[in-house]
Amino acid sequence: MSKHIFVTGGVTSSLGKGIFAASLAKLMQGRGYKVTIQKFDPYINVDPGTLNPYEHGECFVTDDGAETDLDLGHYERFLNIRTSQANNVTTGRVYQTVINKEREGAFLGKTVQVIPHITDEIKRRMLLLGETGEYDIVITELGGTVGDIESLPYIEAVRQLQWELGKGNTLVCHLTLIPFLNAAGELKTKPTQHSVKEMSRNGVQPDILICRTEKELDMEIRTKLARFCNVDLDCVIEAIDAPSIYHVPMLMEQEKADITILKKLNLPHQGGSKIEDWLTFVHKLNSPHQKVKIGLVGKYVELQDAYISINEAFKHAGVIHQCKVEVVPIHSEELTPENMHETFQDLSGILVAPGFGDRGIEGKIDAIKYVRENHIPFFGICLGMQCAVIEFARNVLGYKNAHSLEMDPNTEHPVINLMEGQKDIEHKGGTMRLGAYECEIHENTLAKKLYGQKTIEERHRHRFEFNNDYMAQFEAHGMQATGFNPISNLVEIIEVSNHPFFIGVQFHPEYKSTVAEPHPLFKGFVEAALKYQENMLLKEA
Ligand code: GLN
């Protein structure tokens, strides 16, 4: 039977529950345990696929095509495991299941209620991954903050599961904030006391307190927290601000969080966590030998979390080259042909980001014209690849009003077309081409060189595609389609031949980059940017 660890949050949101869960799982993994993490989100959307990135950050996509919370990205990047639909559940999904059952008549005339029907469905889903027999430990992160009305059924489900599974088989970690009050010159424990009281009122007593703080917790504060929150002294774990998310597993290890938790779960805890590769990664991340600046052109750049997988993939790839990749956010709405030179002059590569809708699209297209003509390394992802196709059609093929049908349904040259299977779809939720599909790469191409293999599998999230009717014109003028879906013939990769590094992909490579396995396209792109930078320096000298 799997052991279940629940991670809840108190006092404020954004304390980093996902990073804590992933870090703890990393330490457990380093001790030989098989661990997975799942996230339960209290909002009513069935999944975050319909949420604007400004609302909820990036939507992460799994191999099985689930549109999920961005924390699943952290889980995959830290643990180098694949997650799935089962790893992310929302209130919307829970209610949808219960309501569908009610319509089928499965409740036999009973009144359907939050308790027991909604909580039963939550519990069923909380136990699912553990029942596969694949995992020793399942960590369940509860989204939201204790005290939120919508969190109540989840806390109640945890309460019931603790009773059902018995002591020693479940454990609750509560993440909380210990604010430092400048005026008083001290750390304050009261918000945490209130938060724990709130949980206790709902029948759940946290076992472990993970205390987010900007200053070290001294023994006096630790004792106070333990005494007033009713936990053992060694269960007060300091989680001090870290230089990067990748440092958190080490901080948790220093605090012996893994040992304390394993002991409480009656699991062997002798020896240490073997995370040498991780330590090497963090060491290299801390001590880069060189630096390179890459522009990220997108329309959600104000929000850090909107392109989180891309930003993390750059860190992974940077470490391979012992190089700090500084990702410079560039708002595509602010780009014009006139300010292009000024904006790009000290950048050594440009990534044009995924996206939907026409806001900022012309800035992206202008940016691609500039980098193509000036031989600056270019990497386009999904909409970024589609923009590269539009730009090439307009400026090389001479189809002045070429466009994507997404932006201009009446365009004379729809070089980006709506996929056949999308034409009759009206509902927006979960209906894109989602998840992992195969791609066959042609020989003697940049993509083949970077991947080093002919058949790859990458994840998708789109409705539009390269219009194969225009293929011959593109190829005759120097833009090649170098990767295809072997079944549908859909173009997955495009390249421009007389350019040092120009690649666009219809899929999302960023979702598959992990600390243990940085993505080949990001590695290659960073390498190309370094080469470009070197050449520029030589020219200047
Ligand atoms: N909007 C484009 C499409 O639906 C690209 C999607 C994306 O960038 N994820 O095809």
Side-chain angles (χ1 to χ4, degrees):
M1 183 183 133
S2 303
K3 304 275 184 176
H4 286 268
I5 300 174
F6 298 97
V7 179
T8 61
V11 183
T12 71
S13 58
S14 306
L15 289 180
K17 288 193 295 274
I19 300 295
F20 164 72
S23 301
L24 184 64
K26 185 79 228 168
L27 294 176
M28 306 288 189
Q29 203 185 45
R31 289 170 173 274
Y33 290 107
K34 290 198 262 359
V35 194
T36 191
I37 317 182
Q38 52 187 355
K39 171 124 195 230
F40 281 65
D41 275 313
Y43 52 73
I44 316 252
N45 303 65
V46 171
D47 61 43
T50 50
L51 283 170
N52 185 321
Y54 286 128
E55 290 277 321
H56 206 66
E58 170 190 281
C59 170
F60 186 77
V61 179
T62 56
D63 273 342
D64 66 347
E67 296 177 282
T68 71
D69 186 81
L70 60 82
D71 273 333
L72 271 77
H74 291 311
Y75 309 160
E76 292 203 2
R77 288 187 282 273
F78 273 54
L79 302 178
N80 205 29
I81 57 164
R82 298 288 174 235
T83 57
S84 69
Q85 181 67 73
N87 294 73
N88 192 195
V89 175
T90 68
T91 294
R93 197 170 286 278
V94 168
Y95 269 79
Q96 196 179 46
T97 310
V98 173
I99 291 171
N100 286 346
K101 270 172 78 178
E102 187 274 336
R103 292 289 80 185
E104 285 163 17
F107 294 108
L108 305 174
K110 285 258 180 274
T111 308
V112 181
Q113 294 177 299
V114 173
I115 299 173
H117 302 100
I118 295 298
T119 46
D120 279 355
E121 178 59 17
I122 293 174
K123 285 191 296 176
R124 186 185 72 80
R125 287 177 181 263
M126 282 177 169
L127 295 177
L128 272 182
L129 285 171
E131 284 163 359
T132 61
E134 281 176 52
Y135 305 106
D136 305 312
I137 301 169
V138 177
I139 302 182
T140 302
E141 178 192 348
L142 298 188
T145 310
V146 168
D148 298 344
I149 289 177
E150 57 264 45
S151 293
L152 280 173
Y154 293 94
I155 303 286
E156 169 60 13
V158 171
R159 187 193 69 75
Q160 292 184 24
L161 280 180
Q162 282 193 299
W163 182 80
E164 285 165 27
L165 301 177
K167 239 187 146 37
N169 293 321
T170 60
L171 181 118
V172 176
C173 297
H174 188 57
L175 250 92
T176 178
L177 178 71
I178 316 292
F180 179 78
L181 279 199
N182 244 335
E186 55 183 35
L187 291 163
K188 290 293 182 190
T189 65
K190 209 34 106 28
T192 300
Q193 295 182 41
H194 282 304
S195 180
V196 170
K197 258 198 198 117
E198 182 64 31
M199 277 190 72
S200 307
R201 226 196 307 275
N202 298 320
V204 177
Q205 163 66 43
D207 301 287
I208 308 279
L209 292 181
I210 309 292
C211 305
R212 285 299 309 275
T213 173
E214 3 170 338
K215 307 241 184 256
E216 279 180 22
L217 304 182
D218 62 21
M219 202 32 95
E220 196 186 328
I221 288 275
R222 286 179 192 250
T223 311
K224 196 168 170 189
L225 281 163
R227 176 174 294 137
F228 293 111
C229 297
N230 227 357
V231 299
D232 296 334
L233 189 56
D234 62 349
C235 294
V236 176
I237 309 281
E238 172 191 286
I240 201 156
D241 291 353
S244 88
I245 56 173
Y246 299 107
H247 287 74
V248 178
M250 283 114 81
L251 293 178
M252 287 302 109
E253 192 176 33
Q254 278 161 26
E255 283 288 297
K256 300 195 170 63
D258 53 339
I259 295 180
T260 305
I261 289 170
L262 288 170
K263 262 201 237 166
K264 290 227 167 248
L265 290 172
N266 302 325
L267 289 171
H269 57 272
Q270 284 74 24
S273 182
K274 296 197 173 42
I275 52 168
E276 287 78 14
D277 291 352
W278 187 271
L279 299 181
T280 309
F281 170 84
V282 176
H283 174 71
K284 286 190 183 164
L285 187 70
N286 272 347
S287 48
H289 294 165
Q290 46 192 343
K291 185 175 149 181
V292 72
K293 278 190 184 181
I294 290 181
L296 170 62
V297 177
K299 65 172 175 177
Y300 306 110
V301 290
E302 310 89 316
L303 189 79
Q304 258 192 358
D305 280 353
Y307 302 113
I308 192 159
S309 292
I310 292 178
N311 283 313
E312 298 310 314
F314 273 126
K315 287 184 196 148
H316 309 155
V319 161
I320 295 289
H321 299 289
Q322 293 249 336
C323 159
K324 180 178 165 49
V325 181
E326 186 186 330
V327 180
V328 180
I330 298 170
H331 207 305
S332 56
E333 271 185 305
E334 286 159 15
L335 279 175
T336 62
E338 292 71 42
N339 64 19
M340 207 66 71
H341 177 70
E342 195 195 328
T343 316
F344 290 171
Q345 59 185 343
D346 59 343
L347 302 179
S348 302
I350 298 294
L351 186 147
V352 176
F356 297 84
D358 67 355
R359 185 167 67 89
I361 195 87
E362 292 303 324
K364 290 183 176 175
I365 295 171
D366 291 341
I368 296 169
K369 177 172 192 286
Y370 185 85
V371 298
R372 184 178 53 76
E373 291 178 347
N374 290 284
H375 293 112
I376 301 172
F378 165 76
F379 187 9
I381 298 183
C382 207
L383 182 62
M385 170 262 192
Q386 297 175 356
C387 287
V389 171
I390 298 166
E391 187 278 318
F392 201 86
R394 288 185 187 176
N395 300 317
V396 180
L397 305 186
Y399 300 149
K400 285 292 162 237
N401 44 16
H403 221 319
S404 160
L405 281 183
E406 180 181 7
M407 320 302 163
D408 179 2
N410 302 315
T411 176
E412 194 187 335
H413 290 293
V415 287
I416 301 295
N417 214 352
L418 185 60
M419 278 182 282
E420 199 48 45
Q422 290 285 330
K423 290 192 173 148
D424 297 322
I425 289 176
E426 281 173 15
H427 281 196
K428 293 270 183 276
T431 55
M432 281 187 253
R433 178 171 180 254
L434 291 166
Y437 286 91
E438 261 190 12
C439 165
E440 296 277 329
I441 303 177
H442 289 184
E443 290 300 333
N444 304 319
T445 59
L446 177 59
K448 175 74 201 305
K449 187 175 140 219
L450 298 175
Y451 276 101
Q453 63 194 76
K454 194 168 172 290
T455 308
I456 55 159
E457 209 181 76
E458 291 281 8
R459 300 182 194 172
H460 300 73
R461 183 171 187 248
H462 64 121
R463 292 187 201 282
F464 294 84
E465 63 174 338
F466 182 95
N467 184 345
N468 283 337
D469 292 347
Y470 286 89
M471 180 79 74
Q473 286 98 306
F474 277 94
E475 300 220 315
H477 288 82
M479 179 177 271
Q480 321 294 338
T482 60
F484 288 86
N485 177 284
I487 295 163
S488 64
N489 216 23
L490 179 143
V491 172
E492 294 280 14
I493 310 177
I494 55 105
E495 298 177 21
V496 165
S497 34
N498 62 344
H499 191 285
F501 192 104
F502 191 106
I503 194 162
V505 292
Q506 185 56 77
F507 47 80
H508 290 263
E510 71 275 23
Y511 293 144
K512 278 179 80 168
S513 183
T514 69
V515 166
E517 290 178 58
H519 196 283
L521 295 183
F522 279 87
K523 280 194 283 187
F525 183 47
V526 171
E527 190 181 343
L530 282 168
K531 224 175 264 167
Y532 177 87
Q533 174 172 269
E534 211 173 289
N535 287 342
M536 291 310 273
L537 288 175
L538 282 177
K539 257 190 214 163
E540 275 167 27

